[in-house]
Amino acid sequence: MSIFQSFMSTASVPYYRSYSRSLTSTHAIPVLTTTNNYHCCYDHYNSTRTSGRTFNVVCCTTPVLATKNNHHCYYNCYSSKTSRRTNKIISCQNKENAEGGHSSLSSALTLSRKNPQDVVTFTDRVVDNGIKTTSTTTAIMPLLKPSDGIGIVSYLRGKNYLITGATGFLGKAFMEKMLRTIPDLGKIFLLIKAKDKEAAIHRLKTEILDSEIFKCLEQMYGESFKAFMMTKLVPVAGNVCEPNLGMDPATTNEIAKEVDVIINSAGNTNFDERYDVALDTNTRGPSRLLGFAKKCKKLGLFLHVSTAYVNGERQGLIMEKPFHMGQTIVGESVTSETPPVSIPVLDIIAEIELASNLKFCVHENEVTQKLKELGLERAKLFGWENTYVFTKAMGEMLIDSMRGDIPIVIIRPTIIESTYKDPFPGWIQGNRMLDPVIISYGKGQLSGFATDPKAIVDVVPVDMVVNTSIAAIAKHGIAAKPGLNVYNIGSSTVNPIACEDVLKFCCDHFTSFPLMDSQGKNIRVTEFKFFSSMDNFSSYISDEIAQGIGLMDAKISDSILKSKLEMKCKNRAELIVHMAKLYKPYAFFRARFDIRNTQKLMEDMSLEEMRNFEFNVRSINWEHYIVDIHIPGVRRHVMKERLVINE
């Protein structure tokens, strides 16, 4: 994995209360909302850490719904710093609506305008330093209606799956969630890049079973954990870059007879990958897998994991729409005044041939660099920022063109980062987009970057991506209708966070819990600096590196030592500046991703499904997530720190 790849609204609510302390990891079990923006029991929270910035967050435990005996919904809010505990009671004055089985919160979140009795009373019972106070607020609120939800568990149980990208971050999260929550799950065939069956089994045991994300499953099954896993997980030696997925004929026939759902999470995410390599994995890979899918006799659904950034240089609110063959971003900006000769035509077959032919036209030592340059050049020609998103977009085009009658779901997540809470908060594998900046900042190696402080950092935890995907699989698998459905998974439209706030929270964390240098001394971080031009950033970073490695020391008289330091400074500065150039489109990103399909999916779920497969990004308290969950997770799982950061 390249270092370059690794870099890098809430609506009005009817009821607020103020708290003076950020939440701990036990407080963020959310009450969900809908696209109609009717919220159930949100709390308004003003953190002293943010110097006045205000966030709308959920700080309640899972609600216990109204019963025949009391017609109340209880939940608790707690502030550890002020020792204030608030017991919220929702009183349903309409007894008929309070009784019975209420399994769908989403259906409840619509006002009943015909029934004036649908009234909710909020009662605050606050204990502060031994003094009890009570306040009551009455408002019209939605009431719960019976619903069976999507039927996620009933659809998924007993079925067999094929997952590509199984050793990756998202692939492991998929496996863990399904094995832990779906009873009577069938087999999960894992396409693993390996030379033979034995090598695939070895990778399964060392790279998957030993991964920390499976610790909860290991605790559940104890000594029989590995035996259980080996009965469910079937390693298959193969590769999406090879004909017939690199599988032997016997394995191909077996999987084709048994598999019900295919999940394609394989991909090459290097922003400046060789054009031929990226095309082989991101463009031709999905088409090869879909070609195999057509041989599967009982296949119910094909899910493809893409990225929200396949939308390239589009601006404004970006909708959940599929790509069609030959569609380009630059072509969408064409007007009647644009000369036809200036509009490039995208031919995927021609692009594959172009990359293939270049290998025979340049010197062997120049092949890699020339193919990297070609990928970036072709991407920008058609309106995409880099080779990664361009080849992923072409992969979507091929899927749409050859899908036939197979139900297709395309998942487009934004920046995927550590788990929010499932199976436990903070699990992450490898450096993701934000983490190299966060780690370098914490180490005192990077105190500024070329970015717009107001740019929205569209982050989504990996467990929410998995939960959305699982819900979509069930919904469209049950419907069993041919078609292609796209789901954006992101936070920019409903719970945006600006770049300056992300870095402010990073500063808060490393100020409270600093990293240590090689001598065991705490590393002090300074306020993060933002640069609007690449020239200014380049000059700044060169000076910072020179000072950091001692090149500015006037006492250096050894010419050889000084020359080595100068070369070290030059190389490091060039690397960081190159990284900044690759991430410039995202560092100044202003577009937002519409998620109405994803929100509609959430509305179709029952209350139990919402609890077990939660993906409500509105519920995320970003300060708590970054300070108390994500950075500690990076330090533990990526940096391998043994220090316990959270109390």
Side-chain angles (χ1 to χ4, degrees), residues 118-316:
D118 290 351
V119 177
V120 173
T121 300
F122 297 87
T123 303
D124 267 11
R125 294 176 182 173
V126 182
V127 180
D128 190 5
N129 296 325
I131 301 174
K132 297 182 180 180
T133 59
T134 302
S135 63
T136 302
T137 304
T138 302
I140 296 176
M141 287 291 289
L143 295 174
L144 303 177
K145 301 177 182 178
S147 172
D148 294 329
I150 294 174
I152 296 174
V153 173
S154 61
Y155 176 78
L156 293 174
R157 69 192 313 167
K159 288 185 169 56
N160 299 315
Y161 303 83
L162 170 63
I163 299 180
T164 68
T167 59
F169 179 49
L170 187 57
K172 289 179 181 177
F174 260 115
M175 279 183 279
E176 195 280 335
K177 180 70 176 187
M178 294 170 71
L179 289 168
R180 184 168 45 83
T181 60
I182 308 300
D184 306 320
L185 193 74
K187 298 177 183 177
I188 302 180
F189 296 96
L190 307 177
L191 191 69
I192 298 176
K193 189 175 180 180
K195 63 179 181 179
D196 53 33
K197 178 78 171 180
E198 288 70 27
I201 293 174
H202 178 73
R203 290 195 68 187
L204 169 63
K205 291 180 177 179
T206 58
E207 297 181 39
I208 295 177
L209 299 189
D210 289 344
S211 178
E212 288 188 83
I213 193 174
F214 296 104
K215 295 303 179 185
C216 291
L217 274 169
E218 188 173 359
Q219 291 176 2
M220 288 171 59
Y221 288 94
E223 294 181 355
S224 62
F225 165 71
K226 289 192 176 180
F228 164 76
M229 296 291 278
M230 295 304 292
T231 62
K232 294 294 183 181
L233 304 180
V234 182
V236 177
N239 191 336
V240 296
C241 296
E242 297 178 13
N244 202 37
L245 304 179
M247 297 187 295
D248 61 75
T251 302
T252 300
N253 293 333
E254 178 189 0
I255 297 176
K257 290 178 182 178
E258 296 191 33
V259 73
D260 298 285
V261 175
I262 293 177
I263 299 172
N264 180 34
S265 66
N268 187 313
T269 57
N270 293 340
F271 283 5
D272 63 340
E273 183 59 86
R274 282 176 47 150
Y275 195 28
D276 59 334
V277 173
L279 280 167
D280 214 17
T281 304
N282 297 336
T283 304
R284 302 181 70 186
S287 68
R288 294 189 188 101
L289 190 59
L290 191 55
F292 170 75
K294 292 185 175 182
K295 302 176 185 178
C296 298
K297 295 176 173 55
K298 58 174 186 171
L299 186 73
L301 186 125
F302 182 99
L303 181 134
H304 174 69
V305 179
S306 185
T307 169
Y309 297 100
V310 291
N311 290 283
E313 297 174 356
R314 286 172 173 162
Q315 299 296 314

Side-chain angles (χ1 to χ4, degrees), residues 433-451:
M433 281 192 67
L434 301 179
D435 308 326
V437 174
I438 292 174
I439 293 172
S440 297
Y441 175 62
K443 289 182 175 180
Q445 298 172 349
L446 186 69
S447 58
F449 203 69
T451 182

